[in-house]
Amino acid sequence: MNEHLLKILIIGDGNVGKSSFLHRYVNGQFNKTYKMTMGVDYALKLLHWSDKEKVRLQLWDIAGQERFISMNRVYYRGALGCVVMFDVTSSASFLSCRHWKRDLDNKAMLPNGESIPCILLANKCDLPQRVVPPDSIDRFSKANGFITWMEISVKENKNVGEAMRRLVQDILSV
Ligand code: GDP
């Protein structure tokens, strides 16, 4: 049995749904008061990837950042994958993704010098008051070196597991 340990970062502006995503993915729940009660910024999840492979995910969520800030290199150290998240009802959170991705590429690198696989997630697609159109996301994703982008709803549990599987697949294929 092969076992992989993968450190994965979840970054993006405050209030886009990072903690909810982590909680949903790891515990299968959506809880509006999660952050207040738990304040967790680190979680583990074990995946039985195949007959021969187990994957231990170490998920890091930056708690409490309202807007983009340049992160300490320590946070990025050893990361093998990244989720950049925004909220489709907030164009400011979408614009910030450029800064988050740049900061990541400046500070996190694979041992071979390449940038780490990163997926762009457009959260809250259950809400009607969406302001960021898919073609803008698509263009941005391609221009900024994301492996792909996906629409998700943590609330409705749409594409949460799928997004993580896509990212892990990419990490393991490097
Ligand atoms: P963080 O600051 O990025 O960690 O964001 P939180 O996880 O604290 O979520 C911010 C707010 O958005 C909370 O009120 C969540 O309940 C809400 N939220 C998170 N994901 C979704 C979603 O998919 N749809 C909707 N409608 N609300 C969401």
Side-chain angles (χ1 to χ4, degrees):
M1 180 71 77
N2 259 337
E3 207 172 301
H4 307 272
L5 176 67
L6 309 181
K7 174 177 172 181
I8 295 179
L9 310 173
I10 304 170
I11 57 181
D13 282 4
N15 210 43
V16 300
K18 299 181 301 298
S19 308
S20 304
F21 177 81
L22 193 68
H23 191 49
R24 165 70 86 190
Y25 182 60
V26 174
N27 304 316
Q29 286 171 11
F30 181 76
N31 177 351
K32 285 192 161 174
T33 57
Y34 158 63
K35 212 167 189 170
M36 290 176 331
T37 54
M38 315 235 341
V40 172
D41 55 7
Y42 175 90
L44 291 165
K45 181 160 171 118
L46 180 65
L47 294 179
H48 295 280
W49 190 252
S50 70
D51 292 347
K52 298 196 190 97
E53 284 170 306
K54 258 194 220 166
V55 178
R56 234 174 255 283
L57 298 179
Q58 208 182 61
L59 300 158
W60 294 49
D61 165 32
I62 43 160
Q65 305 302 340
E66 285 315 309
R67 282 170 288 136
F68 168 76
I69 53 145
S70 177
M71 298 291 295
N72 193 305
R73 279 177 194 275
V74 172
Y75 176 74
Y76 290 113
R77 192 170 297 152
L80 294 176
C82 184
V83 170
V84 175
M85 190 178 294
F86 69 96
D87 167 355
V88 292
T89 70
S90 157
S91 46
S93 75
F94 177 56
L95 291 174
S96 285
C97 290
R98 185 183 305 276
H99 302 296
W100 287 110
K101 180 68 163 68
R102 269 199 201 142
D103 198 46
L104 174 79
D105 288 342
N106 284 335
K107 293 174 186 166
M109 247 181 246
L110 294 177
N112 67 8
E114 286 181 21
S115 56
I116 68 173
C118 190
I119 191 167
L120 178 66
L121 297 185
N123 190 30
K124 308 196 190 180
C125 69
D126 57 281
L127 293 176
Q129 61 271 33
R130 147 176 214 150
V131 295
V132 187
D135 59 328
S136 304
I137 307 171
D138 197 53
R139 241 178 294 126
F140 173 76
S141 166
K142 286 177 177 142
N144 289 275
F146 289 91
I147 58 174
T148 190
W149 70 277
M150 279 170 107
E151 278 191 357
I152 68 165
S153 166
V154 176
K155 184 175 180 186
E156 295 184 345
N157 201 11
K158 187 186 161 202
N159 275 345
V160 171
E162 287 82 351
M164 289 304 296
R165 265 199 299 281
R166 178 67 177 79
L167 179 63
V168 170
Q169 207 166 37
D170 214 274
I171 295 170
L172 295 181
S173 71
V174 167

